[in-house]
Amino acid sequence: MEAVGSWQDKLKDRIPEELGREIDIFETQMKLRRRGEVDERLFAETRLRRGVYGQRYDNGHRHDGTQNRELAYRDHPTKGPETVWDAPGMLRIKIPYGKLTADQTDVLAELSEDYADHISHVTTRQDIQLHFVHIDDTPDIQRRLAAVGITTREACGNSVRNITACHLSGVCKTEEFDVTPYAEALKEFLLGHPDVQDFGRKMKPAFSGCAHEACGLVNMHDVGYIAKTREVDGQVQRGFEFYVGGGLGAIPHDAKVLTEFVTEEELLPLTQAVCRVFARLGEKENRGRARIKFLVAKLGIEEFKKLVFEEREQLPHDPRWTAYIDELPDYDEKPLRPPVPLQVNGEHTPEFKAWYETNVRAQRQEGYAVATIKLPLGDATGDQMRAIADIAREFVGDAIRLTVEQNIVLRWVSEADLPALFEALAAVDLAAPGAETIADLTSCPGTDTCKLGIAASRGLVAELTNHVGHLNGGTDPALKGLRIKASGCFNSCGQHHVSDLGFYGISRKKGGRLVPHFQVVLGGKWMENGGSFGLPTLAIPSKNIPEVVKRVTDRFLQERNENETFHEFIDRWGKVEVKAFLQDLTEVPAFEEDPSFYSDWGDPRVFTMEDYGEGECAGEIVPLVEFGLQSSEREVFEAQLYLDAGDMDRAKAMAYKAMLTAAQALVKTEYLDVTDDPDHIVTEFRTRFHETKRFHDKFAGAKFANYLFQTHESGGNGGRPEQARDQVQEAQLFIEAAYKVYERIGTQGAPA
Amino acid sequence: MSAEGLGPLESAEVSIKLFVDDHAVVRPHELIAVFHRWISEGLLEDELTIDVANYEHVPQGPGIALICDKSHYYFDVRHNRWGLRYRGRREARATGKDAVTDALTRALKAAALLENDPALEGRYTFRTDQVELVIYDRLRAPSEEATLEAIRVDVEAAIAELYGEAPRSLGLVSVPKEPFAVAIENASSPSLGELLGRLAPAG
């Protein structure tokens, strides 16, 4: 066997330079944090923006049902406030609009086996999550992902999260047009964009191909786009109805129309303007009110609109706004096999027929179908992911997508291949019927792994699956399309507000003991992009929730009017009646009488809230300038490494870059549009901080600013090699001076 | 973390699985409470036990997992075979032959805990004539015959030391894309107690 090196060496030719550089930077930041040279709060937001999340019990404590026990990890610096370095965490992997290739699917399989618990978990926002991952492994994981074109950048933290879109985009019979290339363009444009680095909270965008189906869920997103066309001078013009300010959480908000038609040309700049207004005016102190929905509600949509369009007028032109339009005609997902209709005959097995009925949807392209792989609780093993990759290669090529219902679809299946595809999936236990029916339940991780989880949503959904799973699309068609969704807490990651029967975890006390409960939310509308939110009714002990489902669905079948939807039925039934109907289920027996009520589904420990932690969903509020200054510190650290290695030219170049980064960070506190051009940075810095003497040191005067000016005038790399050491030290002093100025800004308020 | 110039058994990710004798007795759900109790009573020596993860809903999956600081224990059903899997995670506890012995010892101890757990009423017993060794480290241990040859001597020595004789066969059972896996066939099937007795320090 050949001696192995590292993933960094092995993959160096396959990782795009920029992605590789970002990962190297993250690894350096980890080293600095381990040495205690980066503040824990800053490091937490840094890792979150790389998708590296905390997980339950990472504060070093766990309640075992009788007592709170300390988890005696080794003593290292923390990886964030109250977050132990060695505690296992979660890695969120952004999969833009859920699109995966076969090779990417293979790599996800490998990563789940090599670094996690053998499971790839599909989230409700088309991400993949790996759990029980150690932070030290994350740079290599990111490298292996980067080698197949996946980045975890901005998968968490106060940034633009994964851009989701209908999994049927491009093949759907009801869409206006394929939104995929637009989602891709927006993703490329916003990733790492300076205007999305200073939010008080995250921003989630979504695209939908039509208004009436569910899959894009635009109504519950921070920013959303529904495909639309109009005729101008006899020409069909593509664009989007642009929504803003939707969201779930404790108090769901319907998205508002920002404009009824944004053209292809204006899609990116108008979104950029929204981001700027959100960054400038959005709440920064109170995380609970920092999403854009609160800003829209506070200002009113008309004022928000006015500000956005004013901002749009101020934006410096960016050629990327329209560059993607030229590439639109090139975007095309091609089928692997020719279209051949399915021969429907008596030879198909009952299992195939059941699967075909619920898991197969005809594409608008004749002879092709989309097949849905229903994943229990969104989980697939490494072996299954690998099998999906191989099956995709055989039948559809790279046409794989994740769905917001935690499933995986294979698109462009030639219909004649469906029986063979079914057999291939069945061989790896992936041919369960009932996709997108009442038997296809959704859950966020809940108390299984989430620090914010209150109740065991996954445990509940596993139990409910035992109760409704046999319906497989419903013995009664009225039940077939109902959705059941559960969240571990009010934050609504399970999307319970837009399901027919929704549940979110809470707790109640009985006889001095805590009892896990779920709030019952009925009658939300899944269709029409998550068209309306359900009716919160009452809190029911977890152990009685299966009975809630049985009673409510039975009642619906018995008393619904002809063609009445569940949403309409609940509306007619009314909150008062529903509460009376379920009231007896709120009763909790005494612990001595039935202790099972005092434990959660799938968790035998006596229920407690002592494991409830500080969530990281909200990220850390870190001003943009601090990121810049942190980068400059990391760069000067790297300059030192070059110096130690005797590479004087690179040491000087990196020291110069560190000074520029620090100067740019300060300039950005008042002028966000400063570019990366060194001349531009130095000019702006000179005008704003040197000539105003704000960068001057009480004793040293302009000395530190002059370090930058002299180095800049020499082209950044001037002087003899032996001057490198001086230059690195000067950069260090410049950065320290920059920090001091920033501290003064913080105490005196931002300069005019 | 990088792995400069290291061989397969220098990896932290060495795993040993012991298979149950009788699949019919397995009720995975009951192991959730068992593993939680192991955590609260600290029954796994030399492990910082953290959490239990339930994947019984996933066919041929990791089953019930006991997550520790430097390792995972699974009662898993990969390839439709239930068994107790010890799996090292980060920071190799030993290298070469000792890595095999260490993983095997930890798997044997955990399996013995299951065999003797009062809640399971003696239903779970394990065979020791078949053992699966997996290295979840595609960098150091690609799934190929060369990896098997690179570890053969160490594995044979570890087995010989514990069983008193070399294994009857070692065979690569993973395809190239899978984690490297070896089926170890032993000539005898001593009880867990017997094997653990041989591991006990002399004197």
Side-chain angles (χ1 to χ4, degrees), chain A residues 1 3-7 9-10 27 30 57 62 64 69 71-74 86 88 106 110 113-119 131-134 136-137 140 144 376-377 379-381 383-384 386 389-390 393 427 429 448 458 602-605, chain B residues 1-8 13 29 32-33 36 39-40 48-55 57-62 67-70 72 74 78-79 85 87 89-91 136-142 144 146-147 150 177-179:
Chain A
M1 275 188 72
V4 293
S6 63
W7 284 111
D9 292 340
K10 184 171 174 146
E27 199 163 36
M30 283 173 52
Y57 315 128
R62 178 183 186 273
D64 65 10
R69 204 169 62 96
L71 300 171
Y73 293 106
R74 281 179 309 183
D86 276 338
D106 267 337
E110 292 179 6
E113 292 169 333
D114 290 359
Y115 304 106
D117 56 359
H118 304 227
I119 292 291
H131 292 100
F132 303 107
V133 172
H134 194 276
D136 287 346
D137 290 328
D140 277 348
R144 293 171 74 174
L377 296 175
D379 292 341
T381 65
D383 289 320
Q384 288 178 321
R386 214 165 12 253
D390 287 341
R393 285 189 187 95
D429 301 301
D448 279 19
R458 276 168 64 90
D603 189 341
R605 290 174 294 171
Chain B
M1 294 283 107
S2 61
E4 305 299 338
L6 298 173
E13 317 287 338
H29 198 75
I32 299 171
H36 273 290
I39 296 176
S40 59
L48 171 55
T49 49
I50 300 171
D51 199 10
V52 179
N54 174 13
Y55 291 114
H57 54 279
V58 184
Q60 301 193 55
I67 306 295
C68 306
D69 179 29
K70 293 193 176 62
H72 295 176
Y74 296 91
R78 189 165 186 240
H79 296 152
R85 180 187 301 284
R87 183 251 157 96
R89 274 270 38 227
R90 52 186 212 95
E91 294 182 23
Y136 294 96
D137 187 335
R138 287 166 164 88
L139 190 65
R140 297 174 187 169
E144 58 193 27
T147 305
K177 288 206 299 184
E178 290 177 330

Side-chain angles (χ1 to χ4, degrees), chain A residues 205-458:
Chain A
F207 280 83
S208 180
C210 71
H212 48 275
E213 292 281 337
C215 25
L217 297 176
V218 161
N219 187 48
M220 43 158 273
H221 275 81
D222 297 283
V223 287
Y225 314 87
I226 296 179
K228 221 173 169 183
T229 55
R230 67 182 180 189
E231 202 169 295
V232 179
D233 299 330
Q235 298 287 314
V236 175
Q237 188 182 37
R238 285 180 173 190
F240 294 89
E241 191 160 24
F242 191 153
Y243 286 82
V244 67
L248 295 180
I251 304 164
H253 285 56
D254 287 309
K256 310 287 184 297
V257 177
L258 182 76
T259 174
E260 289 182 359
F261 196 92
V262 61
T263 61
E264 293 172 323
E265 292 79 7
E266 281 298 302
L267 176 67
L268 303 189
L270 197 60
T271 304
Q272 186 183 350
V274 169
C275 291
R276 282 194 168 206
V277 171
F278 178 47
R280 194 173 71 240
L281 301 177
E283 174 65 44
K284 297 275 172 63
E285 299 298 322
N286 180 357
R287 293 173 174 194
R289 299 191 66 79
R291 294 285 288 275
I292 198 169
K293 64 186 178 184
F294 294 106
L295 181 62
V296 172
K298 182 177 148 192
L299 296 173
I301 186 62
E302 292 309 319
E303 176 65 11
F304 185 82
K305 256 188 223 181
K306 179 171 152 282
L307 290 167
V308 167
F309 283 98
E310 282 172 4
E311 188 71 40
R312 166 65 190 95
E313 292 308 309
Q314 303 301 317
L315 288 179
H317 178 75
D318 187 334
R320 294 180 300 165
W321 289 342
T322 51
Y324 81 99
I325 295 171
D326 295 337
E327 296 164 13
L328 287 174
D330 299 335
Y331 176 78
D332 192 16
E333 194 175 56
K334 295 217 166 33
L336 186 71
R337 298 192 180 208
V340 181
L342 175 68
Q343 297 300 313
V344 180
N345 55 41
E347 291 172 13
H348 299 309
T349 63
E351 290 79 12
F352 173 77
K353 286 176 184 167
W355 176 79
Y356 180 81
E357 185 195 339
T358 54
N359 294 39
V360 176
R361 188 188 285 224
Q363 293 188 187
R364 70 179 154 82
Q365 297 88 355
E366 205 168 324
Y368 289 104
V370 177
T372 301
I373 299 167
K374 189 178 81 151
L375 299 177
L377 296 175
D379 292 341
T381 65
D383 289 320
Q384 288 178 321
M385 290 294 276
R386 214 165 12 253
I388 289 169
D390 287 341
I391 291 168
R393 285 189 187 95
E394 182 179 351
F395 293 100
V396 301
D398 287 330
I400 307 168
R401 293 209 190 183
L402 310 176
T403 83
V404 295
E405 295 199 83
Q406 301 180 302
N407 293 323
I408 296 179
V409 296
L410 300 177
R411 300 143 54 99
W412 294 100
V413 182
S414 178
E415 288 183 354
D417 287 337
L418 285 166
L421 176 73
F422 171 76
E423 293 300 327
L425 291 172
V428 284
D429 301 301
L430 289 171
E436 299 178 8
T437 70
I438 190 170
D440 189 3
L441 294 84
T442 300
S443 171
C444 70
T447 49
D448 279 19
T449 49
C450 178
K451 295 204 270 191
L452 289 175
I454 294 172
S457 47
R458 276 168 64 90

Side-chain angles (χ1 to χ4, degrees), chain A residues 527-539:
Chain A
M527 296 296 280
E528 297 173 21
N529 282 284
S532 63
F533 306 124
L535 181 74
T537 58
L538 68 178

Side-chain angles (χ1 to χ4, degrees), chain A residues 457-519:
Chain A
S457 47
R458 276 168 64 90
L460 173 68
V461 161
E463 181 63 24
L464 291 178
T465 302
N466 294 333
H467 290 257
V468 300
H470 66 282
L471 294 175
N472 276 350
T475 46
D476 189 307
L479 287 185
K480 179 179 172 181
L482 298 192
R483 297 301 205 277
I484 299 177
K485 297 180 188 293
S487 304
C489 72
F490 53 80
N491 284 302
S492 314
C493 299
Q495 302 176 341
H496 58 264
H497 287 297
V498 288
S499 64
D500 296 286
L501 294 105
F503 307 98
Y504 70 88
I506 51 175
S507 72
R508 292 283 186 271
K509 251 189 177 169
K510 166 81 178 181
R513 293 174 183 271
L514 282 176
V515 182
H517 277 61
F518 279 89
Q519 180 67 242

